[in-house]
Amino acid sequence: MRLYSILKLISMSIVFFLGGMFSQMSIAQTKTDLSPRPAVLSLMNRDIAIFRAPLNGASPEVRVDNAIKRVDQVETSELTNEIQGIPFTLAGEKGFQFHLGTRHLFSLIEKDIDLESGESMELIVSRTVEILNELKTAKYQQTKLSFMLHEALLVLIATIALVIAIVVLRRSLNWLSHFLLMKCHQFPSKTSGAHWTEYLFMFAARLTQVISWLFLLIFIYAWITYSLSRFPLTYPLGHQLGLQVSNTIRWIVESALSAIPNLITIFIVIFITRSLLDLLKVFFRRVQSGQLKIPFLHFETVSATQRITGVIIWGLCIAIIYPFIPGSNSEAFKGLSVFLGVIISLGSTGLVTQLMSGLVVVYSRALRVGDFVQVNGVRGVVTEIGGLATKIQSQNKIETTIPNSVIIANSIENFTRLNDATGSLISTTVTIGYDAPWRKIHHMLITAANTIDNIQKLPTPYVYQRALSDFYVEYQLFFHTLHPAEQVKTLSELHQKIQDEFNTAGIQIMSPHFMSQPHDPVIAKELS
């Protein structure tokens, strides 16, 4: 029972505590809701004053309605009277009353001042008087028929000028665009292939169309601004449109002037970067030509090292000039940076793997362009070593693209690496019976090889007797060629010459298997 009483007491305490909190929040919310909302007194598209506090029991909205009613009751004859701001005190509230002659319009009190803006009552009163004088002039002009007809005539003249300008502009620029397109279409008939001037004329024609629409929008905007600013009722709107243009032009000019020092800095950094890259280009060219000997820089890796150095230097250049680029601190640049970062993060895993594998392939110097190799079961000539993959052209003119990660994961057989000066080493095998003298066989095979154009005469071809089999001797002919990509053609011509040599000498090639020695030699009867 004692435990139950304690729990009950604790629960009641929590309920009272929460109830007190919610009641305080409700009171605060009620106070917030009961606080008056500011109301703007606006007449003829002009903001006159802002009422933020009640006066003599009237809320800001009621004060605005009363002021509008008083202004609407002003007679035309009263518009020549003077606007005055007279200080007053009412029920402890200090402020100013604004009069048109003897007619009271509205009042401003100290509580209407926005304390955060730091404005004084005197400044607000002087500005209000100025706006009321402008409003008085606008209402007076609005009642003058002659003035309205004069302004309407000016707007009509501006409209006619706008139509004429649009017609002349559109026809002129359309003619220019058509002329540029005609010049563009004349190039294919006069010259073979594409010419850069053709694309220049095409771009100029499209740019002319864009400029035409741009000027059209500018003319219409200027006409709207001028037309609205001619009438007293819409003058503030036209004035605001004009301010937008002037502010935009001033912002562009100020931004351009303020960006000049940064642009000079960017130009200097880029100039230094280009100069450094030009010096490095000369350095790498001399290393590649053999004029300079650098222990850690080999001939095969010069090109890759130059590209990597260029990327690093340009990366440092971009990192240096990025803060000086106009607009680099804008939200657009930040959003673009985040977007590129996300893309690189999502796709960088496989890409970085392939790039690193490409660096391993290049700096291991296992492959070079033009080498005759065999990789992952593919035999052919290396035609390209890229950052992501390597291309090999087989003997049958089939190009195979192998990812660099696959290359470094498999063994590489390079038939050219140890024969740079002499060419790739290739061989072919024939089997001849034991009854043929081996010295003569060697001479015949070498003679046949020396008659082929693609086979190097130095070093001379040579023959090895690879095996003494059951029925024949296996002879392997080795030769060098500088055209490994044409291996199939070279071997075909060589085989033809070997057949001719052996048929002429009456020696039988024993490559076909047989069970017993034939009575007649198996040779061709006719030589072509």
Side-chain angles (χ1 to χ4, degrees), residues 76-126:
T76 305
S77 59
E78 298 180 74
L79 294 176
T80 56
N81 295 329
E82 183 182 0
I83 297 291
Q84 294 180 346
I86 303 173
F88 77 98
T89 302
L90 178 62
E93 298 287 351
K94 294 182 180 181
F96 281 81
Q97 292 181 343
F98 295 92
H99 293 264
L100 176 61
T102 58
R103 182 184 292 276
H104 172 66
L105 300 178
F106 59 89
S107 302
L108 282 175
I109 58 177
E110 292 181 347
K111 291 183 179 180
D112 292 328
I113 301 176
D114 185 9
L115 299 178
E116 295 182 357
S117 64
E119 294 181 341
S120 62
M121 191 67 183
E122 290 76 11
L123 180 61
I124 294 177
V125 170
S126 62

Side-chain angles (χ1 to χ4, degrees), residues 248-425:
T248 302
I249 295 175
R250 182 167 60 253
W251 174 79
I252 293 174
V253 173
E254 291 177 354
S255 300
L257 293 177
S258 62
I260 290 177
N262 292 337
L263 294 177
I264 294 176
T265 303
I266 292 174
F267 173 78
I268 293 174
V269 174
I270 293 178
F271 176 77
I272 294 175
T273 302
R274 289 297 303 269
S275 302
L276 180 59
L277 288 175
D278 291 339
L279 291 176
L280 289 176
K281 186 183 296 183
V282 174
F283 168 76
F284 285 116
R285 187 186 301 121
R286 291 185 176 181
V287 172
Q288 195 168 17
S289 62
Q291 298 178 5
L292 290 177
K293 300 294 184 180
I294 307 298
F296 58 87
L297 193 59
H298 300 279
F299 170 79
E300 299 88 348
T301 61
V302 170
S303 179
T305 305
Q306 182 177 354
R307 290 196 297 267
I308 293 173
T309 305
V311 171
I312 293 174
I313 292 177
W314 277 117
L316 293 174
C317 174
I318 294 174
I320 293 173
I321 68 176
Y322 181 82
F324 299 98
I325 298 176
S328 59
N329 295 326
S330 63
E331 297 298 328
F333 264 76
K334 295 177 182 178
L336 181 62
S337 301
V338 173
F339 177 71
L340 293 177
V342 171
I343 292 178
I344 294 174
S345 299
L346 293 177
S348 62
T349 304
L351 182 64
V352 171
T353 301
Q354 296 297 335
L355 289 175
M356 296 305 295
S357 301
L359 293 178
V360 172
V361 170
V362 172
Y363 284 95
S364 65
R365 298 185 296 146
L367 296 175
R368 293 177 302 181
V369 175
D371 285 355
F372 185 69
V373 299
Q374 179 171 333
V375 181
N376 197 29
V378 179
R379 174 178 290 193
V381 178
V382 179
T383 58
E384 180 183 346
I385 301 177
L388 302 177
T390 299
K391 295 183 179 181
I392 298 177
Q393 179 179 315
S394 66
Q395 303 172 12
N396 298 325
K397 299 296 183 180
I398 299 175
E399 186 178 73
T400 304
T401 302
I402 304 176
N404 289 328
S405 59
V406 175
I407 292 179
I408 64 174
N410 291 272
S411 59
I412 302 173
E413 298 180 17
N414 195 324
F415 301 97
T416 310
R417 185 67 182 180
L418 302 179
N419 302 281
D420 289 334
T422 59
S424 301
L425 182 64

Side-chain angles (χ1 to χ4, degrees), residues 32-251:
T32 303
D33 295 339
L34 292 178
S35 60
R37 296 182 179 179
V40 180
L41 174 60
S42 181
L43 295 169
M44 296 183 68
N45 296 312
R46 295 165 173 84
D47 293 336
I48 310 299
I50 301 177
F51 301 144
R52 293 183 172 86
L55 177 62
N56 198 20
S59 65
E61 290 82 2
V62 175
R63 293 173 62 188
V64 169
D65 294 337
N66 294 335
I68 293 175
K69 291 177 182 179
R70 296 190 190 101
V71 173
D72 291 339
Q73 293 173 359
V74 174
E75 300 293 337
T76 305
S77 59
E78 298 180 74
L79 294 176
T80 56
N81 295 329
E82 183 182 0
I83 297 291
Q84 294 180 346
I86 303 173
F88 77 98
T89 302
L90 178 62
E93 298 287 351
K94 294 182 180 181
F96 281 81
Q97 292 181 343
F98 295 92
H99 293 264
L100 176 61
T102 58
R103 182 184 292 276
H104 172 66
L105 300 178
F106 59 89
S107 302
L108 282 175
I109 58 177
E110 292 181 347
K111 291 183 179 180
D112 292 328
I113 301 176
D114 185 9
L115 299 178
E116 295 182 357
S117 64
E119 294 181 341
S120 62
M121 191 67 183
E122 290 76 11
L123 180 61
I124 294 177
V125 170
S126 62
R127 186 174 67 239
T128 305
V129 170
E130 181 182 355
I131 298 175
L132 287 174
N133 283 321
E134 180 186 345
L135 177 64
K136 181 185 70 171
T137 304
K139 287 182 68 68
Y140 180 77
Q141 293 175 344
Q142 191 80 12
T143 59
K144 293 295 183 179
L145 181 60
S146 60
F147 176 81
M148 297 299 292
L149 290 177
H150 177 266
E151 300 302 318
L153 180 61
L154 292 178
V155 172
L156 178 61
I157 294 174
T159 304
I160 296 174
L162 173 67
V163 174
I164 295 174
I166 290 177
V167 172
V168 172
L169 175 70
R170 293 287 294 175
R171 289 188 176 182
S172 301
L173 293 181
N174 286 340
W175 176 86
L176 180 59
S177 177
H178 180 71
F179 173 76
L180 293 173
L181 288 176
M182 291 294 295
K183 294 290 291 182
C184 173
H185 295 324
Q186 291 176 1
F187 277 95
S189 59
K190 292 183 178 181
T191 59
S192 59
H195 196 273
W196 66 269
T197 313
E198 173 186 356
Y199 300 103
L200 180 61
F201 276 104
M202 186 179 299
F203 173 76
R206 302 305 181 202
L207 182 62
T208 303
Q209 296 176 358
V210 173
I211 293 176
S212 173
W213 284 106
L214 179 62
F215 273 100
L216 178 64
L217 294 176
I218 292 175
F219 287 165
I220 294 175
Y221 188 92
W223 175 81
I224 293 175
T225 302
Y226 178 79
S227 301
L228 292 177
S229 62
R230 300 313 305 173
F231 299 100
L233 181 62
T234 58
Y235 173 79
L237 300 178
H239 182 67
Q240 188 66 28
L241 291 177
L243 285 178
Q244 291 290 341
V245 175
S246 61
N247 291 337
T248 302
I249 295 175
R250 182 167 60 253
W251 174 79

